Structures are given as structure tokens and as C-alpha cells.
Amino acid sequence: MKGLRIIEIGLLLLVLAGAAVLRFYDLDYRVMHGDEANQAMKTGVLLETGEYAYDPYEHHGPTLYYLTLPVLWAGGVTSKVEMGETAIRLVPAAFGLGLVLLSWLILSPIDRRAALLGALLVGLSHGLVYYSRYYIQETLFVFFAAGLVWCGFHYPRSRRIGWALAAGAFLGLLHATKETGVLVVVAMLGALVASWFLDWIAGGGVGTARQLRRENSGEKPAPHSWFVGLNFQHLAAALGMALAVSVLFFSSFFTHARGPLDSILTYTTYLGRAEGHGSSGLHEHPWYYYLWLLGYYYREAGPRWSEGLILGLALVGGITCTWRPLGMRRAHSSSDGDYYCSTVYTPDLIFLQRFLLTYTLFLLVGFSIIPYKTPWNLLIFLHPLCLLAGLGAWRLLGASRAVWWRAAVALVLAAGCIQLAGQTWRGIFTYGADVRNPYVYAHTSSAIRRLTDRVDGIEAVHPRGEQLHINVFRPGGDYWPLPWYFRAYPNVGYWPNLPENCDADIILASPETAPAVQSRLKNEYHVEMHGLRPGVLMPTFIRKDLWDAFMAGRTTD
């Protein structure tokens, strides 16, 4: 028995090590997405000034910014110029790795082998890995939701206030991370009611209850006790903790009094966004959009993408959660000193499995019917899908005692995991910013590095160096992530409208504004074309004398 535990721990460490490689290796390989750059610049302002004020119209909650500060301080970073992609992406990557461990912790009370498989699928999932390397709130959001599930499961089992307070802290962090946290909480409450209803049906002698009674003749399933004897003082303490954590972050650590109020008023803005009002209409997609990304994605030439293994195993896990949930294996010592295991069905473990199923369904349906969709929004239900898939994989392995069956299932699972790992590796490196990747969405073109190299080259021959003057004329604020890449240059102007004098050392325009810009220029310029995103061009004007000096230097080299 002790040897078995050591093997399980060794396998868990192996899963964590593999997940760490996928999440931490070469974090600055991919160019910055516009949303990442936007978040990074807000973190930079917080780092330099210590100031942050929640914006109820754009962006999300402040946890990402504040939780990045310790990483930057540890690295001796004091300004946004010193910040690098690797430093800031360490934060979501760490939470992504933590999510793998948390997955094991959630499932291990049910079955440690199923927990290992669930953690493995979380560790390999293309979507979960890709956005663990992305400086946005999503991975933190999923981690806090999973933490709430974990603590919410353990509190009723122990009735200890520590679990209640921890659940409250996760709830507060969830709210302080993304506004859609309220949808997650609604899904959890709906899943609690639905699971209780399923329990009630089973307890009434229908389906599962009859099977359990047959298999455990000495231990009949008892009515579930989650809602029996609730300690309202603990409940109040948990809600108080959630409120305190939320207020702490939204008030910018008690320096911005209006923040907590804005965190409530913001839902009027997000309600309109969910319905596709304004620019949000650009992100309207059909109801099956998320299933399309996960099931089978193919765009012109290039690889075909699928996380069908997770979907298929989750389906098996979901069906068995309803029909025949997994039990808890308990070790016993025999009279001759040996150990043996038996399966014990306990109501709370059955309830947890049904909760995971109904919680996933509520999230999947809820986020699918909202017209506003972006690929990273699927993470919130992709994670519990992986947990269900872990349960389904173990159920398949245990469906028969025949060696040939277990060997065949193990081979299929191994092949599927190899496919997931290879796909994830291609997704984060070879196709990290390629539109043929299902998770690449309105992403910056890798060609942005050619532009930044050009600006750095002009800066090298400019008499005032980094004090050179850059004008950016792109309507509608469509210039991100340029502020991130130009953060070392203090004289950059981002213009919503064209001024009479457009001249500068370097001018970046849109194809629509370029003719008007050119007509207002007084100096002579070299003109070349750069790309912001695939299909989004950026005519670039470089003052002729600087261009000549730059070319002369290249000729000399």
C-alpha cells in the first residue's frame, strides 16, 4: 500500500513537471496580443505610481495587476520599461500549473487514479496551456473558480470554519478578477440544486440507488446531508471574507472609494456587451462556436485541431456520474497482516460527481447562448470538462477486469495524450500567433518585431536617441500592442484625429488615413509597409534624412 502511494505521488510529480514545461518554457516566444499589452501597461502604471482605479467600462478586475507586483519586485523591476514578456507571463503560468494540482485535489477524494488522469488532461489541454501563457485574467479566473469548488466541497464534510473562510476568499477573488464571476456563481448554485434533485431521485429508489444497494449490500446510500445542519455563522463568515477580499481589490487597497460601487454598476455595461451592442458585435458568434473550437477546427491549409479526447471522455464521465458514480477506495488490513481495498459509496462523493456534471452543463449552455464570445471564455467550462474526462477515463479502464481490455484502453488513452501534447506544443510555438490555431484570435502579427527592429534602428542613428518623435494615426484606438513595444520611447503620440501638423521622425498610419497624412507632411519621408495583424496593414513614414543615415550605417556594417 505504501509503495502504491509512492508510485502515485511520483506520477503526480511527473504530470506537474510536464505541465510546468508546457507553461513556463520560452514564455516570450509569442508576440504580445493587444489585450495582453493593454493589461501589461496598466500593471506598469501601477508599478511606477502605485495608483490604480477600476474602470467599469473596459478591462476587468484588478487581481492580475496586483498579483504581478510581487513577481516584478522579486526581479528588481521598477518601471514598465524594465518589464518583459517573461516576467509578466509568469503569473498566469503559475496559476495554470496550480490549476493542475488543484484538479488532482478536487478529484482525489473520489479516486486518486481518476484524479491523476484528470490532472494529466488539464496539464495537456491545448486551450488551458495556451492561455496559461497569456497575460490576461482568464487562467486566474478559472483557478479561483476551481478553488471555490474545492473548498466548497470540503467545508460540508468537515464543518470547519477554515474551509468556509477559504471558500469565501476564493469567491472574493473570483469577483475581483472578472465580471463574469457572477455567471459562475449562478452556475454553481444551479448545479447544487440540480445535484440535490438527482440525489433525491436516486435516494427514492430509482436507478443509481438500486445499483448501489446491490453493490454495497452492507452500506446503503444515505440521504445527502449537505444542506442539513448548515452553520449560518460559518456561512456569514464566508460571505464576509468574500466581501472583504472584493472590497480590498476594487478599492485599490482602500485608496479608491468608488471602486466597489463601480464593480456593481459595471454590470449594466456588460449586459449590453453580452447582447452584442456596440463594438461587441465584432465578437458575435453562433451558439456552437465553443464546441466547434474544441471538437474539430480546420482553417484552410495547416493542421487539424481537436480536443475530442477530452470531450469524449467527459461524455463518458458525465453519463457515469449520473448512472453509476465512482466510489471511494478504502484500505483495510486483514487478519494475516495484508492490505486490501474496497469501494465505498458515500453520498458526498456521489454528490461531487453530479455537481461537476451539472456545473459543467450550466456553464457550457450559459456561455454558449451569450452572443458575445471569445475563445478564452471557454476555459471556465473546459476545466471541469477535463475533470469529468478524468473520471470517464478511469471508468473506461475499469469497465472490465480483462487484461486485453485494460491494455487496449490504456493504449488508446496514451495515443490520445500524445496527440494532445503534440497539438499543444504546435499551438504554443509553431502556430502561436497563426490564425490557423483555434485559440489565436485577433492576434498581433509576428511581423510586429520587424517594425520594432526598424524603430530601434532609427533610434540608433537619431541625434536624440530614444527621444525621437513618433506619431500614430489609427482611428478607433486600433493601435494595440504598440504602446507596449514603444514603452521605452517617451515622445509617442496616439492621435484620434489628424492635426494640421502631422510631421514626426516616424509616422504610423492606417491605410485609410495614410493619403490624408501624406498630404499634410512638410518634410520628405521614406514610406514602407508594416503589419499589425493579419490583413491589417500599417503604412509607415520615416523621415528621409534618418532613413538615409540608417541605410548608410547598414552599408557600412
Side-chain angles (χ1 to χ4, degrees):
M1 194 65 189
K2 187 177 178 182
L4 187 62
R5 287 284 182 91
I6 292 174
I7 292 173
E8 287 174 355
I9 292 172
L11 289 173
L12 176 62
L13 292 176
L14 198 60
V15 168
L16 289 172
V21 170
L22 288 174
R23 283 158 176 78
F24 289 102
Y25 178 66
D26 212 359
L27 273 175
D28 63 350
Y29 181 83
R30 180 177 47 78
V31 295
M32 292 282 276
H33 186 281
D35 286 358
E36 285 186 285
N38 201 307
Q39 309 294 350
M41 293 304 286
K42 290 183 75 68
T43 301
V45 171
L46 177 62
L47 175 70
E48 292 179 344
T49 66
E51 295 178 359
Y52 167 80
Y54 174 65
D55 179 355
Y57 303 103
E58 288 291 345
H59 312 290
H60 292 299
T63 55
L64 178 66
Y65 318 125
Y66 280 106
L67 293 175
T68 304
L69 291 183
V71 176
L72 299 176
W73 291 334
V77 178
T78 58
S79 70
K80 56 178 174 288
V81 175
E82 298 172 3
M83 290 165 55
E85 285 92 339
T86 297
I88 59 174
R89 285 173 176 165
L90 280 174
V91 177
F95 277 93
L97 182 62
L99 188 64
V100 179
L101 179 61
L102 201 47
S103 304
W104 182 82
L105 290 171
I106 291 172
L107 291 182
S108 58
I110 301 171
D111 189 291
R112 291 198 301 275
R113 284 81 47 92
L116 271 175
L117 290 167
L120 175 64
L121 293 170
V122 172
L124 293 178
S125 166
H126 179 196
L128 290 172
V129 173
Y130 187 82
Y131 289 116
S132 290
R133 302 168 58 90
Y134 225 83
Y135 191 66
I136 57 176
Q137 285 84 357
E138 216 63 37
T139 300
L140 279 68
F141 183 63
V142 177
F143 179 88
F144 296 143
L148 180 54
V149 170
W150 180 48
C151 297
F153 168 68
H154 279 284
Y155 169 69
R157 302 183 91 198
S158 66
R159 304 289 178 178
R160 292 180 178 170
I161 193 169
W163 285 110
L165 291 174
F170 277 118
L171 178 60
L173 289 166
L174 187 72
H175 178 238
T177 301
K178 272 196 81 177
E179 293 73 10
T180 46
V182 68
L183 298 179
V184 177
V185 173
V186 168
M188 287 183 181
L189 293 175
L192 281 175
V193 174
S195 304
W196 176 84
F197 182 70
L198 289 173
D199 249 18
W200 177 75
I201 292 176
V206 179
T208 302
R210 281 203 295 268
Q211 293 166 11
L212 295 183
R213 275 197 285 270
R214 281 201 301 270
E215 295 174 17
N216 299 307
S217 56
E219 191 165 351
K220 295 180 181 179
H224 200 273
S225 59
W226 271 52
F227 304 109
V228 179
L230 265 182
N231 186 323
F232 287 99
Q233 289 181 333
H234 289 181
L235 184 62
L239 292 176
M241 174 63 84
L243 182 64
V245 170
S246 176
V247 168
L248 186 69
F249 279 98
F250 278 114
S251 68
S252 309
F253 287 77
F254 308 116
T255 60
H256 178 56
R258 189 181 164 82
L261 176 62
D262 282 339
S263 74
I264 304 300
L265 297 178
T266 189
Y267 287 104
T268 56
T269 303
Y270 278 88
L271 190 60
R273 183 170 298 175
E275 293 173 350
H277 293 170
S279 61
S280 302
L282 298 172
H283 304 289
E284 278 194 45
H285 297 286
W287 66 268
Y288 53 82
Y289 177 69
Y290 296 128
L291 291 176
W292 173 51
L293 295 182
L294 289 172
Y296 178 78
Y297 185 90
Y298 176 65
R299 187 168 178 174
E300 301 171 357
R304 300 167 194 273
W305 307 81
S306 175
E307 298 199 59
L309 176 71
I310 293 172
L311 289 178
L313 291 174
L315 182 62
V316 174
I319 291 172
T320 55
C321 282
T322 306
W323 168 59
R324 191 178 178 183
L326 279 168
M328 177 180 67
R329 288 180 66 78
R330 181 172 292 171
H332 306 272
S333 58
S334 62
S335 56
D336 56 3
D338 290 335
Y339 288 93
Y340 67 93
C341 293
S342 64
T343 300
V344 180
Y345 291 91
T346 58
D348 51 352
L349 298 181
I350 294 172
F351 190 87
L352 174 60
Q353 292 170 72
R354 289 174 176 154
F355 173 83
L356 289 175
L357 169 64
T358 51
Y359 171 56
T360 307
L361 288 176
F362 277 120
L363 288 175
L364 175 60
V365 172
F367 278 84
S368 293
I369 61 177
I370 295 174
Y372 181 96
K373 294 181 179 70
T374 53
W376 44 84
N377 281 337
L378 63 76
L379 299 194
I380 193 66
F381 55 82
L382 176 56
H383 175 246
L385 275 172
C386 290
L387 300 184
L388 288 173
L391 296 175
W394 184 245
R395 175 64 77 182
L396 277 179
L397 278 167
S400 169
R401 292 180 181 274
V403 175
W404 68 267
W405 169 263
R406 295 192 173 191
V409 173
L411 280 174
V412 170
L413 290 178
C417 288
I418 291 171
Q419 178 265 332
L420 282 181
Q423 174 177 269
T424 298
W425 190 264
R426 288 195 303 275
I428 58 179
F429 291 116
T430 312
Y431 296 90
D434 193 308
V435 294
R436 291 170 291 182
N437 183 336
Y439 298 119
V440 170
Y441 189 76
H443 202 287
T444 310
S445 168
S446 297
I448 196 78
R449 287 189 171 129
R450 190 170 72 89
L451 170 65
T452 57
D453 288 345
R454 180 72 82 235
V455 173
D456 291 344
I458 298 299
E459 180 257 334
V461 299
H462 196 285
R464 290 184 290 126
E466 64 183 18
Q467 297 294 324
L468 82 169
H469 181 196
I470 302 174
N471 273 341
V472 180
F473 301 115
R474 294 192 63 86
D478 184 24
Y479 48 73
W480 289 96
L482 294 181
W484 168 259
Y485 285 107
F486 292 163
R487 65 191 185 283
Y489 300 109
N491 299 319
V492 183
Y494 298 93
W495 297 81
N497 301 302
L498 292 187
E500 278 304 314
N501 181 11
C502 292
D503 282 286
D505 299 318
I506 299 175
I507 300 167
L508 304 174
S510 66
E512 298 78 20
T513 58
V517 169
Q518 195 156 19
S519 68
R520 300 186 187 195
L521 295 178
K522 297 179 177 61
N523 296 319
E524 189 179 357
Y525 288 85
H526 164 79
V527 183
E528 61 185 18
M529 195 66 75
H530 289 274
L532 185 63
R533 295 188 299 276
V536 180
L537 299 176
M538 201 158 40
T540 303
F541 302 78
I542 302 172
R543 216 176 69 199
K544 187 66 167 52
D545 59 315
L546 293 173
W547 174 256
D548 291 341
F550 169 70
M551 291 304 293
R554 294 185 70 178
T555 304
T556 303
D557 293 340

